Amino acid sequence: MTEGEDKKMTKRWQKDADGILIFTGLFSAALAALLTVSVQDLKQNPQDSTAFYLANIYQLLADTNISRASIIATPVQPPVFSPPKSAVLVNSLWFLSLVISLTSALLATMLQQWAR
């Protein structure tokens, strides 16, 4: 009697693990797609640096009162990039969600192996 119940229980566990694997696979795929888009907010936009340098070049060329020696002596650096706190928070949560999803997929796979 208990052997039959054990087999029913292991079959239920395997079916539950199958459902978990399907869900986590789809969830992880969707999450990876969202991460590829949102991780761009953590990097500096190269167009911002280009616009900064072009604006400086324009100011130097437009001002006829500046001597050539002072142009070379004063190097200008673009402002230091710092990603917005909201972007860091959102991306941290996305990555945490992906880690949890992949961990649950690993545990479901281990459950399937153990139930066989």
Side-chain angles (χ1 to χ4, degrees), residues 27-46:
F27 182 73
S28 296
L31 197 57
L34 289 172
L35 269 170
T36 57
V37 173
S38 72
V39 79
Q40 300 300 321
D41 295 339
L42 299 177
K43 297 184 216 172
Q44 183 176 11
N45 188 353

Side-chain angles (χ1 to χ4, degrees), residues 68-115:
R68 299 285 179 212
S70 66
I71 293 173
I72 296 171
T74 57
V76 180
Q77 296 294 325
V80 178
F81 174 73
S82 176
K85 290 181 183 179
S86 61
V88 172
L89 178 67
V90 166
N91 280 288
S92 299
L93 292 174
W94 283 131
F95 278 109
L96 180 64
S97 169
L98 183 62
V99 167
I100 290 171
S101 176
L102 294 175
T103 302
S104 67
L106 175 67
L107 292 174
T109 304
M110 291 172 62
L111 173 70
Q112 280 185 329
Q113 292 297 320
W114 179 73

